[in-house]
Each structure stands twice: as C-alpha cells, then as structure tokens.
C-alpha cells in the first residue's frame, strides 16, 4: 500500500494556493464555556464552493497530464466534492462530468452545474452514483477523481492540518468529520507527522457509521444504509486507502445522533452566526454532547462545509428547537364554549411561553360532541420551562398530550 506522507501534503499546499482561500480558525468563547475547554472553529464552510472538498480536487487536477486533461474528468459526489471538481476543472478548461445521487440537495446540484460541469443524477446514495460514474469512465476514458480514496485527494485535504498547526501550534485535540475518510486521513498525517501527541478524532453520523464498522470488522464493509441528514458523510463503505491510514494515524472515531447533529446546526446559526450543513456540524455535536473528553484542552472543530438546502434547513431548525426544549407541541380537549380557548391562552401567557400555532378541530369522530381538540406549538426557553408550563396546565385541569410530533 502506498502511504501518504507529510511531503505529499506540503506539496499539495503549494499546488492549490491559487484554487483555495485560507479559512479562519475562530476562537469561540461561547463553546469554550459550554465545554470547559478552549474551542476553535476551522471554518471550511467559508471555503470556495462552501466546502473543504475543493482542496483535494484541485490537488488531483493540478497533476493531470495534457492527454488526461483532453479526455476530461469524472467524479461521483453527494454535492461538495462535485463542486470542488467542477470549479477546479473549469479553472483549467477541462471538461467535467459529475454523477450525483438523486437525493443530493438541490442547492448542491445547481451549484455544480453553475461551475460548468455536466451533472448526471443517478441512485439514492453516493455509492450508487460511484458505480455509475465508473461505468461512464470505462467508456469515455476520463480520469476519475475519487472523493476520498486517493492519495492526491487526501493530500489536498491534509492542507487543513498544516493550517491548523500554523495558526494554533499548541493545539491538543482536533475533531474531524468522517465519511469515506479522506479528510481525516490527510489531516491526521499532516498534524501527527509534526506533532505526534496531538489527538485526531473522527466524528461520524451514527446512521452512516461505515468507518466505525470497518474498524470493528477489521476491514471495510458495506453497511445496509447511510440515511442521515449529514448527507456529505453518508457513505456506505469506507475507503481502502483511508481505512489503512485511519488505523495508523487516527486516535479514535465516535458517533453522534441525528438529534445531536440538528441541534449543532441550530447552535452554529445562533451562537456562531455560521451556516453549516449536517456533515459540517458533527464535530460540534460531539463536543457539546461530551462524546470526547476535551476538558481544559485547546480543541479544533473542523466545520467542513456549509452547503445546505434552504428548505431542508427549515426542517432542521424545527427539529433542533424541539430537541433543545425550545419548542413544544401539545394537544388538549376543551369544552366548545366561548372563552375557553382564551382562558387557556391567558394561562400560557402567564408562564411566558409564546404561542406559535393553534389548531382547533371540532368535526372529527375522535372528538366528543360539544368539545374541540386544540393543538398548540409553543416557544419555550428550555425543558425546565416546558415542565413549568405543563404543570400549570395540569393544575388547571386540562388533559394534554405532549410532543405529539416525536
């Protein structure tokens, strides 16, 4: 097996300078207080194309021969790698074809086309798109740009590690999102070659934990599903090269739940004023939920991307509010007489909960005659506030069912 080296990463840093921008390493007082550590956000969501992926794609494309450039490039991607390849190819005047899953966010599909690539939609997840892209490559002779299982791509991603050490030489721990493993492989090689004692820990979505399963099994395996809102790391099979590098260089891999990811997306919006996609939020999700012991350590969270569909974002915000106790749905039955709904609303107002929606239903066979079913969505401060509101409703004699959407 060929091994990625520090020299490979340093060469990549020289190769891609004109393709990328150096992203900020932002110290967060808010998250530092919340985790009893020193938290720094490596904001790759501010990278060109909105993701770190352009780094690896640019390094790979910079090494193509004249003949390879003539035949063009092809890639498979859920979105971020697609945009990186499309941008790097367009800069060099190279034809690019990208196969994307039909489930890819519309924003990523449109952005990839906007960079001049020919986009083909195929399959439900990345792995389906990958198989289709390999079929097309066999016919066209185009160079396949793998999103993670390629040394040149891994080297490009590893330049993030060099930037972290340049900006924060005394870093203790780096938390990195993991899908196929290209990002963490490159970062780990770069950082640990220079600072062996720095911990590099991978974060996966529990619903797409292909690398965790590979490490458990001793080799990459195909998992049954990769159904997660963190679509950028929804990979059903870990890479072979990346698996070997992760075994050698990475300290640990932990997982986070869908609710933890959605809450992290919402937190980044509110506390850091930063838009991150699901994959870009998993490192924060791990930090906020104590999946890794980072107490009193200088810890970098790699916010790997910010390309998220606006319509999907609305759903995530709603889910995040529910998860954090910031929103509550409950249902009750009221006698259908004038003033009864007003009494309930006054009771809720006294507890300083904000009514977002009210639905009143009379004509339903499940509703007793001369009664109405009322469903409300309330804005609350936290779970403690919710319990206080519900206690007042309970003491007033109203029957209720809480959080009916869970």
């Amino acid at each position: 097996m060929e091994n990625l080296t520090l020299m490979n990463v340093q060469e990549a840093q020289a190769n891609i300078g004109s393709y990328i921008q150096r992203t900020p390493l932002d110290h967060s007082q808010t998250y530092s207080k919340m985790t009893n550590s020193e938290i720094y956000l490596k904001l790759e969501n501010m990278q060109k194309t909105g993701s770190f992926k352009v780094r690896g794609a640019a390094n790979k494309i910079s090494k193509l021969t004249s003949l390879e450039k003539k035949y063009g490039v092809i890639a498979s991607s859920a979105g971020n790698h697609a945009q990186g390849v499309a941008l790097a190819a367009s800069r060099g005047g190279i034809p690019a074809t990208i196969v994307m899953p039909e489930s890819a966010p519309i924003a990523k599909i449109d952005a990839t086309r906007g960079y001049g690539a020919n986009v083909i939609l195929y399959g439900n997840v990345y792995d389906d798109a990958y198989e289709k892209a390999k079929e097309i490559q066999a016919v066209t002779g185009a160079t396949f740009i793998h999103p993670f299982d390629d040394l040149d791509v891994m080297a490009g991603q590893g330049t993030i590690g060099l930037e972290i050490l340049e900006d924060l030489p005394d870093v203790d721990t780096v938390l990195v999102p993991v899908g196929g493993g290209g990002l963490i492989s490159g970062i780990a090689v770069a950082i640990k070659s220079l600072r062996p004692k720095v911990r590099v820990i991978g974060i996966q979505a529990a619903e797409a934990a292909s690398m965790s399963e590979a490490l458990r099994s001793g080799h990459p395996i195909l998992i049954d599903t990769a159904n997660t809102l963190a679509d950028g790391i929804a990979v059903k099979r870990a890479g072979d090269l990346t698996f070997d590098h992760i075994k050698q260089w990475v300290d640990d891999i932990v997982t986070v739940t869908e609710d933890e990811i959605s809450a992290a997306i919402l937190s980044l919006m509110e506390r850091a004023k930063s838009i991150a996609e699901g994959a870009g939020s998993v490192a924060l999700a791990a930090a906020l939920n104590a999946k890794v012991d980072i107490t009193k350590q200088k810890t970098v969270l790699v916010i790997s991307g910010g390309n998220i569909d606006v319509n999907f974002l609305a759903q995530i915000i709603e889910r995040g509010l529910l998860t954090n106790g910031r929103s509550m749905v409950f249902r009750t039955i009221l006698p259908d007489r004038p003033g009864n709904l007003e009494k309930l609303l006054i009771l809720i107002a006294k507890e300083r909960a904000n009514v977002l929606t009210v639905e009143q239903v009379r004509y339903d066979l499940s509703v007793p005659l001369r009664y109405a079913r009322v469903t409300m969505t309330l804005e609350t401060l936290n779970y403690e506030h919710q319990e206080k509101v519900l206690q007042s409703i309970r003491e007033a004699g109203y029957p209720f069912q809480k959080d009916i959407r869970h």
Side-chain angles (χ1 to χ4, degrees), residues 197-362:
K197 292 185 179 180
V198 176
R199 290 191 304 165
V200 178
I201 297 176
I203 316 298
Q204 284 204 296
E207 299 301 319
S210 57
M211 187 62 73
S212 294
E213 289 300 319
L215 292 171
R216 205 171 351 257
S217 301
H219 57 86
I221 61 172
L222 188 67
I223 61 175
D224 293 334
T225 61
N227 184 22
T228 171
L229 62 88
D231 57 274
I233 52 174
V235 177
K236 292 174 71 175
R237 187 185 187 278
D240 295 308
L241 280 174
T242 57
F243 173 75
D244 289 331
H245 282 79
I246 285 171
K247 280 200 306 180
Q248 180 179 354
W249 295 96
V250 174
D251 294 280
D252 195 9
I253 291 183
V254 300
T255 62
V256 290
T257 68
E258 298 298 286
D259 283 344
E260 290 166 345
I261 297 169
S262 62
I265 294 173
L266 181 62
S267 180
L268 281 166
M269 290 177 59
E270 288 193 314
R271 300 298 185 93
K273 305 300 182 277
S274 188
I275 301 295
E277 59 192 277
S281 304
V282 295
L284 178 62
L288 293 180
N289 291 281
K291 298 300 177 78
V292 181
D293 184 6
I294 56 174
T295 305
K296 296 182 179 179
Q297 295 187 15
K298 290 188 176 180
T299 304
V300 172
L301 313 182
V302 178
I303 310 301
S304 58
N307 296 315
I308 188 167
D309 186 87
V310 175
N311 293 324
F312 189 40
L313 182 60
Q315 298 177 42
I316 291 172
I317 290 172
E318 182 178 2
R319 184 183 184 121
L321 290 171
L322 286 166
T323 300
N324 286 337
R326 301 272 302 283
S327 178
M328 175 179 70
V329 182
F330 82 94
R331 174 183 291 171
T332 188
I333 298 292
L334 297 178
D336 189 18
R337 291 193 297 269
N340 278 333
L341 179 57
E342 180 184 10
K343 291 177 183 177
L344 178 59
L345 292 171
I346 291 173
L347 178 65
I348 291 169
K350 285 182 178 179
E351 296 298 340
R352 297 189 175 278
N354 186 33
V355 178
L356 299 178
T357 65
V358 178
E359 180 187 25
Q360 189 169 2
V361 175
R362 298 180 181 87

Side-chain angles (χ1 to χ4, degrees), residues 29-352:
Q29 291 185 347
T30 298
Y31 293 134
S32 296
K33 290 179 181 178
M34 293 171 70
T35 60
N36 192 25
S37 60
E38 289 296 320
I39 295 291
Y40 296 80
L41 307 179
K42 180 58 173 171
L43 296 172
E44 282 295 295
N45 55 337
M46 298 176 66
Q47 184 57 262
K48 291 179 181 178
T49 74
S51 165
F52 76 94
K53 287 285 190 176
V54 68
R55 294 174 182 263
N59 189 48
K60 181 70 175 180
I61 287 174
S62 73
K63 294 189 169 188
L64 295 180
T65 66
S66 298
L67 183 60
E68 288 172 331
K69 291 178 181 178
K70 179 180 177 181
Y71 282 102
V73 297
I74 187 167
S76 54
S77 171
N80 288 333
H81 180 61
Q83 293 174 71
V85 171
L87 175 62
S90 67
R91 289 277 184 88
I94 302 169
T97 297
I98 313 293
V99 184
M100 303 178 72
E102 293 176 3
S103 58
I106 295 173
K108 294 183 180 182
I109 295 171
D110 289 344
T112 304
R113 287 178 173 144
Y115 289 120
N118 172 37
V119 175
I120 297 172
L121 300 179
Y122 184 84
N124 294 317
V125 295
Y126 161 76
D127 303 83
D128 300 328
Y130 169 79
E131 294 298 333
K132 186 65 174 179
K134 295 297 286 185
E135 289 178 15
I136 296 172
Q137 182 211 18
V139 175
T140 64
T143 298
F144 184 75
I145 312 293
H146 201 286
F148 51 83
D149 213 27
D150 180 284
L151 289 178
D152 292 328
V153 171
M154 292 157 62
Q157 322 303 26
T159 58
I160 295 173
L162 297 181
E163 292 179 11
I164 290 171
L165 289 183
E166 289 164 4
D167 292 341
L168 190 67
D170 55 347
V171 60
D172 296 304
T173 301
V174 182
L175 304 187
V176 187
V178 177
L183 175 62
I184 196 170
S185 294
I187 288 177
V189 169
I191 288 179
K192 284 185 169 289
S193 294
L194 295 168
R195 291 283 311 281
K197 292 185 179 180
V198 176
R199 290 191 304 165
V200 178
I201 297 176
I203 316 298
Q204 284 204 296
E207 299 301 319
S210 57
M211 187 62 73
S212 294
E213 289 300 319
L215 292 171
R216 205 171 351 257
S217 301
H219 57 86
I221 61 172
L222 188 67
I223 61 175
D224 293 334
T225 61
N227 184 22
T228 171
L229 62 88
D231 57 274
I233 52 174
V235 177
K236 292 174 71 175
R237 187 185 187 278
D240 295 308
L241 280 174
T242 57
F243 173 75
D244 289 331
H245 282 79
I246 285 171
K247 280 200 306 180
Q248 180 179 354
W249 295 96
V250 174
D251 294 280
D252 195 9
I253 291 183
V254 300
T255 62
V256 290
T257 68
E258 298 298 286
D259 283 344
E260 290 166 345
I261 297 169
S262 62
I265 294 173
L266 181 62
S267 180
L268 281 166
M269 290 177 59
E270 288 193 314
R271 300 298 185 93
K273 305 300 182 277
S274 188
I275 301 295
E277 59 192 277
S281 304
V282 295
L284 178 62
L288 293 180
N289 291 281
K291 298 300 177 78
V292 181
D293 184 6
I294 56 174
T295 305
K296 296 182 179 179
Q297 295 187 15
K298 290 188 176 180
T299 304
V300 172
L301 313 182
V302 178
I303 310 301
S304 58
N307 296 315
I308 188 167
D309 186 87
V310 175
N311 293 324
F312 189 40
L313 182 60
Q315 298 177 42
I316 291 172
I317 290 172
E318 182 178 2
R319 184 183 184 121
L321 290 171
L322 286 166
T323 300
N324 286 337
R326 301 272 302 283
S327 178
M328 175 179 70
V329 182
F330 82 94
R331 174 183 291 171
T332 188
I333 298 292
L334 297 178
D336 189 18
R337 291 193 297 269
N340 278 333
L341 179 57
E342 180 184 10
K343 291 177 183 177
L344 178 59
L345 292 171
I346 291 173
L347 178 65
I348 291 169
K350 285 182 178 179
E351 296 298 340
R352 297 189 175 278

Side-chain angles (χ1 to χ4, degrees), residues 4-23:
L4 185 66
T5 67
L6 175 62
M7 183 177 294
N8 297 145
V9 181
Q10 292 169 331
E11 289 174 350
Q13 191 173 45
N15 289 340
I16 68 177
S18 63
Y19 290 91
I20 69 163
Q21 58 189 25
R22 189 187 183 101
T23 54

